[in-house]
Amino acid sequence: MATRYLYLARHGSADAFGELTDTGYKQADLLGERLSGLPINAVWHSVLPRAAASAREIGRHLPGVPVAEAGELIDHVPYVPNAAEMPQAWAGFFDGFEEAEAASGKRAAEALVARFTRAPERTEPDSHEVLVTHAYPIAWLVRDALEAPPTRWLGLDSANTGLTVIEYRAGLSPTLVMFNDMSHLPGDLRWTGFRAAVRP
């Protein structure tokens, strides 16, 4: 049975201007090294500089593999809970979100799922795609794979270059193979992108 493998990674650590730091380049380099032993077909990245730079760094380890932009991977809030389903701890985060902004995020989330979660036909070959994106799109794809309620993207955070793997096969529910794995990073490069208070 043909399988579509998605290797989801948040971009490397970035500065306040959205550019990769030296740490971010090191993280992306190590992730590329980890992925180099796999039969990767493509590396896709969001339009934002921190994701594009991370993808290029990863691509150095994957000679001949195309590295290209995918608009669906843009950083966005995929779902804004209504008042009845709003977790109290998150209420302040959504203050000021307008209906048009929420609708735009929902459309982006739908486009993301439509493009990247289709299982291959049985006669198609396996595919292995790296998606270099941001914490919220990763959370949304994980939530979708688990068929969880739309609010469950909240709290599914990813570290910089943390690796999440999802498999898609025709006729089966998606399989979440791993989430936010950082075993390719030494201790001093792990958990960036998280608040210091929640780092183990």
Side-chain angles (χ1 to χ4, degrees), residues 3 19 33 53 55 61 81 99 104 150-151 165 169:
T3 303
E19 302 290 339
E33 186 177 305
H61 295 273
E99 284 187 26
S104 176
T151 55
V165 182
R169 295 183 183 89

Side-chain angles (χ1 to χ4, degrees), residues 20 24-26 28-30 32 52-61:
L20 280 194
Y25 277 104
K26 290 175 187 173
D29 177 62
L30 289 166
S54 298
R56 287 192 298 271
E57 192 67 23
I58 291 166
R60 290 193 315 102
H61 295 273

Side-chain angles (χ1 to χ4, degrees), residues 40-183:
I40 302 298
N41 303 113
V43 178
W44 302 100
H45 61 82
S46 98
V47 302
L48 297 178
R50 58 192 182 271
S54 298
R56 287 192 298 271
E57 192 67 23
I58 291 166
R60 290 193 315 102
H61 295 273
L62 305 169
V65 174
V67 177
E69 181 180 293
E72 296 86 352
L73 296 174
I74 189 67
D75 197 10
H76 66 280
V77 170
Y79 182 80
V80 177
N82 62 41
E85 60 188 0
M86 178 72 71
Q88 186 59 40
W90 284 89
F93 177 79
F94 293 103
D95 281 351
F97 261 80
E98 298 181 359
E99 284 187 26
E101 188 177 7
S104 176
K106 183 180 178 184
R107 286 193 300 273
E110 290 169 348
L112 174 69
V113 168
R115 177 166 181 183
F116 288 110
T117 68
R118 183 189 69 83
E121 300 294 332
R122 293 179 185 274
T123 56
E124 292 180 317
D126 289 351
S127 66
H128 297 257
E129 299 163 87
V130 178
L131 276 54
V132 184
T133 183
H134 309 273
Y136 296 167
I138 292 170
W140 188 253
L141 287 170
V142 169
R143 181 221 61 81
D144 179 75
L146 296 175
E147 300 174 353
T151 55
R152 284 303 298 126
W153 75 273
L154 297 168
L156 290 175
D157 208 352
S158 293
N160 296 118
T161 71
L163 184 62
T164 294
V165 182
I166 305 175
E167 297 177 356
Y168 299 88
R169 295 183 183 89
L172 297 174
S173 294
T175 299
L176 180 63
V177 177
M178 67 175 64
F179 175 69
N180 196 37
D181 184 84
M182 290 174 274
S183 59

